């Protein structure tokens, strides 16, 4: 996979925070996630939601984390993609073809 960043899926679980918006995404080691105060597009306010996450490495030519939203402030949505930027950052991209929103950086565990 030329041009792809090598990502170890076992290193993905953890808390990620946007320095720009203060929103957080927690990827649990059990495949569950929680998002708090996350802006899902340029025109909406922050939302809280949760569900399941899965790393889809090498599918469709790129690695990404797929969030299956089960409940929260988004209403009905098919899912959301987070694109890893190395091991310690995720780019939130609600529209895979659209402009990315602020990056989330992994917060060190206490």
């Amino acid at each position: 996979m030329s041009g792809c960043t090598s990502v170890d899926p076992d290193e993905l679980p953890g808390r990620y925070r946007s320095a720009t918006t203060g929103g957080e995404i927690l990827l649990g080691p059990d495949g569950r996630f929680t998002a708090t105060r996350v802006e899902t597009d340029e025109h909406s306010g922050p939302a809280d939601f949760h569900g399941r996450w899965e790393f889809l490495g090498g599918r469709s030519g790129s690695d990404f984390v797929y969030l299956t939203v089960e409940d929260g402030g988004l209403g009905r949505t098919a899912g959301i993609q987070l694109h890893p930027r190395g091991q310690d950052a995720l780019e939130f991209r609600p529209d895979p073809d659209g402009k990315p929103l602020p990056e989330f950086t992994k917060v060190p565990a206490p």
Side-chain angles (χ1 to χ4, degrees):
M1 288 183 288
S2 64
C4 291
T5 303
S6 178
V7 176
D8 180 355
D10 293 333
E11 297 295 321
L12 286 171
R15 183 175 308 278
Y16 295 81
R17 183 174 298 133
S18 168
T20 306
T21 67
E24 289 189 355
I25 297 174
L26 174 63
L27 300 180
D30 61 352
R32 309 280 310 158
F33 80 88
T34 302
T36 308
R37 298 182 322 272
V38 172
E39 295 179 17
T40 59
D41 64 40
E42 297 174 333
H43 308 290
S44 300
D48 298 343
F49 50 97
H50 66 273
R52 300 199 58 78
W53 72 272
E54 178 183 8
F55 178 68
L56 301 175
R59 298 184 187 178
S60 301
S62 87
D63 294 342
F64 61 91
V65 175
Y66 188 77
L67 303 181
T68 301
V69 178
E70 294 176 354
D71 193 18
L74 293 183
R76 297 179 66 91
T77 185
I80 296 169
Q81 294 180 10
L82 298 173
H83 294 263
R85 298 293 175 240
Q87 285 298 137
D88 296 325
L90 298 169
E91 183 180 79
F92 181 67
R93 191 172 290 194
D95 176 357
D97 298 321
K99 178 182 170 190
L101 294 178
E103 186 173 85
F104 287 79
T105 305
K106 197 169 198 179
V107 178

